[in-house]
Amino acid sequence: ETGVTQSPTHLIKTRGQQVTLRCSSQSGHNTVSWYQQALGQGPQFIFQYYREEENGRGNFPPRFSGLQFPNYSSELNVNALELDDSALYLCASSHRVTYGYTFGSGTRLTVV
Amino acid sequence: DAKTTQPNSMESNEEEPVHLPCNHSTISGTDYIHWYRQLPSQGPEYVIHGLTSNVNNRMASLAIAEDRKSSTLILHRATLRDAAVYYCILRAQGGSEKLVFGKGTKLTVNP
């Protein structure tokens, strides 16, 4: 059991649409990060939230946005979907004082 | 972000030891060496991390070169369940919390 749950597991959207991906972190994990993983590549950092505030962002456009809630859940929102947004989206959480991240199994997004 | 270099793929036989190398010649004094692995259809999983001394845990051992420019993840007895992509990552102490993944090493374990 990973302790981090993501939903949905798979999703198909049409170009131009908007999507919301959800993540439920382990209790006490006040840091959550989102990653995008294209096929055959390593995960790429999108952004991180700490205590409900954005705390770092990778090289992704503003149409990628997020929220973190007090109950350790979080969301990744992507507007105006493009075909290249098709990927595995991973959520990872940690407690600030520890070194290891716990990842979810991801949401496979396909944009057609 | 400090960079690591790993072989694209490695192969091992079941129940034999596996040594996965990682080069990080530009490592700074405050960078920790982290290893994650990603099994098929799953998210990455934390394996081990270290700074200067060799480290052991229930999953693996981490051997760090004296000059810290390279390290080796050691799986003492490979099982079929160890087949995964293994990522070596440098993470600065007190720096950005993000993980910078390369392409990793795809480990195949033969029965």
Side-chain angles (χ1 to χ4, degrees):
Chain A
E1 184 180 40
T2 65
V4 176
T5 306
Q6 292 188 242
S7 62
T9 54
H10 295 83
L11 195 55
I12 299 175
K13 287 287 195 178
T14 303
R15 189 172 49 182
Q17 283 188 315
Q18 178 266 343
V19 69
T20 297
L21 309 181
R22 292 180 172 84
C23 173
S24 177
S25 305
Q26 284 186 222
S27 179
H29 280 198
N30 50 23
T31 299
V32 65
S33 303
W34 285 88
Y35 290 80
Q36 180 195 66
Q37 186 173 24
L39 212 57
Q41 304 294 318
Q44 299 298 305
F45 176 74
I46 302 175
F47 47 56
Q48 180 179 83
Y49 279 79
Y50 172 64
R51 292 185 175 176
E52 302 161 50
E53 299 275 340
E54 189 176 293
N55 182 40
R57 189 176 184 93
N59 189 26
F60 282 81
R63 60 189 183 83
F64 285 78
S65 63
L67 285 171
Q68 185 186 24
F69 302 102
N71 65 351
Y72 306 111
S73 67
S74 63
E75 290 181 354
L76 165 65
N77 298 289
V78 187
N79 293 322
L81 283 167
E82 301 176 0
L83 297 179
D84 285 348
D85 295 334
S86 295
L88 180 68
Y89 288 85
L90 295 159
C91 168
S93 72
S94 75
H95 189 281
R96 187 79 169 181
V97 299
T98 64
Y99 292 101
Y101 277 91
T102 302
F103 280 81
S105 295
T107 294
R108 173 72 62 188
L109 173 65
T110 303
V111 182
V112 297
Chain B
D1 299 313
K3 190 173 177 177
T4 62
T5 304
Q6 300 176 252
N8 290 333
S9 62
M10 290 185 65
E11 206 165 319
S12 173
N13 295 321
E14 202 174 6
E15 298 194 2
E16 290 184 353
V18 181
H19 290 233
L20 296 163
C22 180
N23 287 320
H24 29 77
S25 58
T26 59
I27 191 171
S28 74
T30 57
D31 285 338
Y32 283 77
I33 302 158
H34 287 248
W35 284 81
Y36 282 75
R37 72 179 185 180
Q38 188 170 19
L39 279 63
S41 302
Q42 294 192 27
E45 174 187 29
Y46 167 81
V47 178
I48 200 167
H49 79 278
L51 183 62
T52 56
S53 305
N54 295 344
V55 184
N56 300 295
N57 67 21
R58 64 174 181 82
M59 291 181 70
S61 296
L62 176 60
I64 302 172
E66 200 168 329
D67 64 5
R68 299 207 330 123
K69 294 187 176 184
S70 65
S71 61
T72 302
L73 180 71
I74 302 166
L75 307 179
H76 295 285
R77 288 183 65 200
T79 69
L80 298 178
R81 293 184 61 183
D82 291 323
V85 177
Y86 286 79
Y87 297 99
C88 169
I89 298 167
L90 300 183
R91 189 173 176 193
Q93 180 184 21
S96 169
E97 297 284 345
K98 71 179 181 182
L99 299 176
V100 180
F101 290 83
K103 288 191 175 183
T105 297
K106 183 175 182 179
L107 175 66
T108 301
V109 180
N110 300 313

